[in-house]
Amino acid sequence: MTRDSLLQMLRLVLLLPENRDAGLLQWRISILRSIQLATLTLGALTMIAHTQFPIPDQTLILVADALTLLCLAALTFAPQLSHQIRAWLFLFLIYFFWFWMFSQVDVVSIIYLLSVPVFAAMLVSLRAGIIMLTLACVGLFVMGLTYSPDFVIGAAEAMSPLQTWSMMVVNFAFCATLLTLACGVLLNRLELALALRRQAEERSRELTQHMQQMEKLQAVGTLASGVAHDFNNILTIIMSLTEAVKDQHPAPAATKQLDQVLLASERGRDIVRQMLMFSRQSLSGRELIDLNNVLTQMEPLLRAQLPAGARLQVCIEDASTPCWINANASEIQQVLMNLTSNAVLALTPDRQAAADAQITISVAALNPDDALLTKLSLDSNKSYASVTVHDNGVGIPPAVISRLFEPFFTTREPGEGTGLGLASSHGIISALGGGINVTSEVGIGSDFRFVLPLAAPTDVVTETDAASPTTTSPRPIDQLPILLVDDEPLILGTARAILEHMGYPVTAVSSAADARAALAEQEFALVITDFSMPGENGVSLIRHARALQPDIPVILVSGLGQIDELDDDTAANRLVMLPKPYKKQDLLNAIERLL
C-alpha cells in the first residue's frame, strides 16, 4: 500500500473533505485557538485554586489535570501542525481525559464527554461530530458497566445496571445529538453562505470590470465620433477640391498626382469608418441576412489569408436552416476578416512548418441558459447565434486580453497595424445588440466568440413577404432648384459648384434657419442637407420640409454614421443617406436614385 493510498484511506475513515472553504477554515482555526487558550487559562487558574485550597484525596486528579494541561500547551504551541491534525488531537485529548476522570469521579465527568462531539462538529465537520458522538456513547456505556455497575437511579431494585446505563446513554445521546447537529448544521449553512458570497463577489467583480471596460470604450467611442465628424468634413473638402482641380487640369502628370491625393483621402476615409464602427455607429443600413450564407461566401476569401501550412475549417451547426440576423453583410464580413487576420498572426512559423496550424470558424445557436449571455450582460429572453474563431497559436497573455478592444492598441511592430481591427469589430457587434468574449491560454490557442441576436420570426416573415415600396414620380429637375444646406462654407461652395457644373439649379444656404426661409418662399425638387449643424439638425429640417412638401426627396449627408433620430417612416420615404466624405460621383449617384 502506497503512502498516498494510506492517506486517502485515513481521510475516508476520518471523513475529512477533499476541499474546504478557506474562509470557514480560518474561522475554525480561530475557534480552536480561542478554545485552547481559554482552556489553558482556566485550567491554570483551577490548578492555582487547588494548590491554595487543597482537597483531600485528590492528588491523582491534580496530577491528571496538570498532565492534561501540559499536553494541551504542547499541542497549542506546537509548530507546523495543520488544523485538521491539531483539532483531532485536541478531541482525543479531551476524550481520554474523560476516561481518567470517569474512573475517579463517575458520572460528574460526563460534562467533559458532552463537549467532545460538539467540539468535533464545530472544529472539523458535522461528520466528525457524528463519529465522536458514536464513540462517546459507546465509551459511556462501557465505562458505566465497568467502573460503576452499582450506580442506579431511584431504588436499587428498580433497574439493573444494564438498564441504568442504557437509559443514561440514551439521554446523553439525545442531548449531545441536539447540540452536535445545531453546531454542525449552523457551520454547514455558514460554509454555504460563505461560498455563495464568494461567488457573488467574483461575479460582482467581473461585472464591475466589464462595466468599467464598457464605460471606457464608450468614452473613447464618443471621442472617436466627434473626431470623425470633423475629419470627415476635412476629407470631403479635400476630395471635392481635388476632383474639381482634376477636371480643370486634365494633364496626365497632374492627374496622376491628384489621383494619389484621392487615394490617400480614401484611406483616411476607411480609417474614419473604422473609428465610427468602434463607436457603435454604423455607416450602412441593416437588413435581414443569413449569417450562414455570409460565412459560406467569405470562406474562399478567408482561406486566401492563410499562410502555407495552415488550415481553415468552417463548421456550421445547422447549414440547412438559415440563421437570420438584422445586420449589414459588409460589417459581418469585416468582423470575420479582422478576427481571422488576428488568428493568422497568432500562428507561429514553427507550427506552420509542422502543418499543425489550424483556424476553426464555427456557427451555432446559443442556449438561453448559456453563461456567456450573463457574462456579456445580454438579454437571456432573446435568441442568439454565436460565431467562434479558434486558433491553436501562441495564445494571449491576460494583461493583453484586457486591452484587446482598445482603439489603437496593437502588439504588432510599428507600421504593421493601426490597432483598430478588434476595436471596430467590438463596436460593430455591440451596435448590433451582441457581445464578444475572448478566452486564451498561452501556448495553447485563443477563442474569439461573438454573439448576435437572431431576428424575430415575425421579422423574417415580414422581410421575405413584403413588397417593394412604391414611390411617387419626381418633378422635372429643370423646373425646380435643389436646396443645398451645409454649415461648412468650403463643402457648401464645392458641392454647389459640382451641381451647377452638371446643370442643376441650386439654392445654397449655410443654416437650417435660412433653409426654412427658403422653403417658405418656394418649392424645391430636392433637399440636400447636412445632419450636424448648429441650432437645428438635418432630421428636424427634413420633417419641416416634408410638412410643406410631403413628397420632396431628400439626401441626408452625415459624417457620424447611423442616426438614431431618423425614424423608419422618414427613412423609407424617398431619402438617401450619403456618408461623408463623398466624391462627386457619389453625390451624383444619390441624386440619380431620387430624381
Side-chain angles (χ1 to χ4, degrees):
M1 180 176 294
T2 63
R3 177 176 177 272
D4 292 339
S5 60
L6 183 61
L7 291 176
Q8 183 66 22
M9 182 179 298
L10 181 61
R11 181 178 294 276
L12 292 175
V13 171
L14 297 179
L15 298 177
L16 297 177
E18 294 291 340
N19 298 302
R20 302 304 303 269
D21 183 88
L24 182 61
L25 181 59
Q26 291 300 320
W27 285 23
R28 293 184 190 274
I29 292 174
S30 300
I31 293 172
L32 175 59
R33 188 77 172 178
S34 300
I35 292 175
Q36 289 175 326
L37 293 176
T39 305
L40 286 173
T41 302
L42 296 175
L45 293 176
T46 303
M47 293 293 297
I48 294 174
H50 283 181
T51 58
Q52 296 297 322
F53 306 99
I55 301 175
D57 302 326
Q58 297 297 317
T59 305
L60 290 177
I61 295 178
L62 291 177
V63 172
D65 287 345
L67 291 175
T68 303
L69 288 176
L70 289 175
C71 292
L72 181 59
L75 177 62
T76 303
F77 301 106
Q80 299 179 349
L81 280 181
S82 67
H83 170 73
Q84 299 290 339
I85 296 176
R86 198 184 301 270
W88 281 106
L89 290 177
F90 176 70
L91 293 173
F92 284 119
L93 179 62
I94 299 176
Y95 190 74
F96 288 117
F97 178 74
W98 168 78
F99 267 106
W100 169 258
M101 291 297 295
F102 189 91
S103 65
Q104 299 298 315
V105 296
D106 295 337
V107 183
V108 178
S109 64
I110 198 171
I111 188 65
Y112 295 103
L113 185 61
L114 183 62
S115 67
V116 173
V118 176
F119 283 163
M122 186 183 301
L123 301 177
V124 182
S125 67
L126 179 59
R127 292 181 296 176
I130 295 174
I131 291 176
M132 297 309 295
L133 176 62
T134 304
L135 290 177
C137 292
V138 172
L140 179 62
F141 186 76
V142 172
M143 292 292 288
L145 293 177
T146 303
Y147 288 93
S148 301
D150 297 331
F151 178 80
V152 293
I153 300 175
E157 67 277 3
M159 300 178 65
S160 67
L162 179 62
Q163 292 173 329
T164 299
W165 286 106
S166 296
M167 186 183 68
M168 289 287 294
V169 170
V170 168
N171 283 275
F172 172 83
F174 176 77
C175 296
T177 300
L178 291 180
L179 293 174
T180 302
L181 289 177
C183 291
V185 172
L186 176 63
L187 289 175
N188 280 345
R189 295 301 92 188
L190 177 61
E191 188 166 17
L192 177 60
L194 289 174
L196 293 176
R197 187 184 71 175
R198 185 177 61 253
Q199 293 176 2
E201 290 175 349
E202 292 176 355
R203 176 62 186 153
S204 176
R205 185 163 51 252
E206 291 177 358
L207 289 176
T208 301
Q209 293 175 351
H210 179 68
M211 291 301 298
Q212 290 175 347
Q213 183 73 5
M214 294 297 294
E215 290 175 358
K216 181 168 61 175
L217 294 177
Q218 184 178 5
V220 179
T222 303
L223 175 63
S225 177
V227 172
H229 172 262
D230 295 335
F231 198 52
N232 275 330
N233 281 340
I234 297 172
L235 289 176
T236 301
I237 296 170
I238 294 174
M239 296 173 72
S240 300
L241 291 177
T242 301
E243 287 186 317
V245 174
K246 183 179 177 182
D247 292 339
Q248 296 173 5
H249 303 280
T255 300
K256 183 177 180 180
Q257 293 177 347
L258 294 174
D259 286 340
Q260 293 296 321
V261 175
L262 289 175
L263 181 61
S265 301
E266 290 175 357
R267 291 183 61 187
R269 177 189 62 188
D270 294 338
I271 293 177
V272 173
R273 287 185 175 179
Q274 284 186 316
M275 292 174 63
L276 287 174
M277 290 177 181
F278 160 72
S279 62
R280 305 182 184 182
Q281 301 187 44
S282 173
L283 289 171
S284 306
R286 299 171 187 168
E287 58 185 359
L288 204 63
I289 61 173
D290 181 9
L291 184 60
N292 295 338
N293 189 37
V294 172
L295 179 58
T296 302
Q297 293 177 352
M298 280 285 294
E299 185 175 353
L301 184 59
L302 297 177
R303 290 187 184 278
Q305 292 192 78
L306 267 64
R311 295 173 296 167
L312 175 66
Q313 183 178 4
V314 176
C315 303
I316 299 177
E317 183 181 53
D318 189 1
S320 60
T321 303
C323 186
W324 297 108
I325 60 173
N326 286 307
N328 184 277
S330 61
E331 293 179 342
I332 302 301
Q333 291 169 356
Q334 180 177 351
V335 172
L336 290 171
M337 187 68 71
N338 289 339
L339 296 183
T340 305
S341 299
N342 191 73
V344 169
L345 291 174
L347 301 177
T348 55
D350 55 338
R351 291 197 176 181
Q352 297 176 18
D356 188 32
Q358 179 171 319
I359 298 175
T360 303
I361 303 177
S362 56
V363 180
L366 204 63
N367 295 325
D369 57 348
D370 196 297
L372 184 59
L373 295 179
T374 305
K375 185 175 183 180
L376 297 175
S377 301
L378 298 178
D379 187 0
S380 59
N381 295 323
K382 296 182 179 180
S383 299
Y384 294 88
S386 68
V387 180
T388 304
V389 180
H390 168 78
D391 67 79
N392 59 349
V394 295
I396 308 172
V400 176
I401 290 181
S402 62
R403 301 190 59 192
L404 278 179
F405 300 111
E406 293 182 9
F408 307 110
F409 173 77
T410 179
T411 57
R412 304 186 193 180
E413 296 295 330
E416 294 185 2
T418 61
L420 286 172
L422 292 178
S424 61
S425 298
H426 182 278
I428 292 171
I429 298 302
S430 299
L432 294 176
I436 186 169
N437 182 63
V438 183
T439 57
S440 182
E441 187 174 351
V442 177
I444 302 298
S446 305
D447 284 334
F448 283 77
R449 189 182 185 191
F450 65 89
V451 179
L452 292 173
L454 295 174
T458 54
D459 295 338
V460 176
V461 174
T462 302
E463 183 73 17
T464 53
D465 296 343
S468 300
T470 58
T471 58
T472 59
S473 300
R475 299 176 184 269
I477 190 63
D478 56 348
Q479 295 182 7
L480 296 174
I482 295 176
L483 179 59
L484 179 64
V485 189
D486 201 304
D487 63 311
E488 181 65 45
L490 287 176
I491 295 179
L492 185 66
T494 305
R496 178 177 183 174
I498 292 174
L499 295 175
E500 290 179 343
H501 179 72
M502 299 303 298
Y504 295 117
V506 179
T507 299
V509 295
S510 59
S511 68
D514 294 339
R516 282 176 174 265
L519 287 167
E521 294 176 357
Q522 68 176 106
E523 292 187 4
F524 292 92
L526 172 68
V527 174
I528 303 176
T529 178
D530 188 23
F531 168 72
S532 181
M533 295 183 295
E536 183 180 4
N537 62 37
V539 175
S540 177
L541 181 60
I542 292 172
R543 295 194 181 104
H544 177 76
R546 292 275 169 82
L548 299 175
Q549 294 179 235
D551 296 330
I552 188 170
V554 177
I555 296 177
L556 182 59
V557 183
S558 175
L560 293 177
Q562 183 175 330
I563 300 174
D564 296 331
E565 299 179 33
L566 194 62
D567 56 80
D568 295 338
D569 293 337
T570 304
N573 188 12
R574 302 186 68 192
L575 183 141
V576 172
M577 286 288 300
L578 182 62
K580 290 181 180 180
Y582 58 83
K583 295 191 293 186
K584 177 179 71 175
Q585 193 59 46
D586 297 330
L587 178 60
L588 298 178
N589 290 341
I591 296 174
E592 184 179 354
R593 289 177 57 187
L594 292 172
L595 301 177

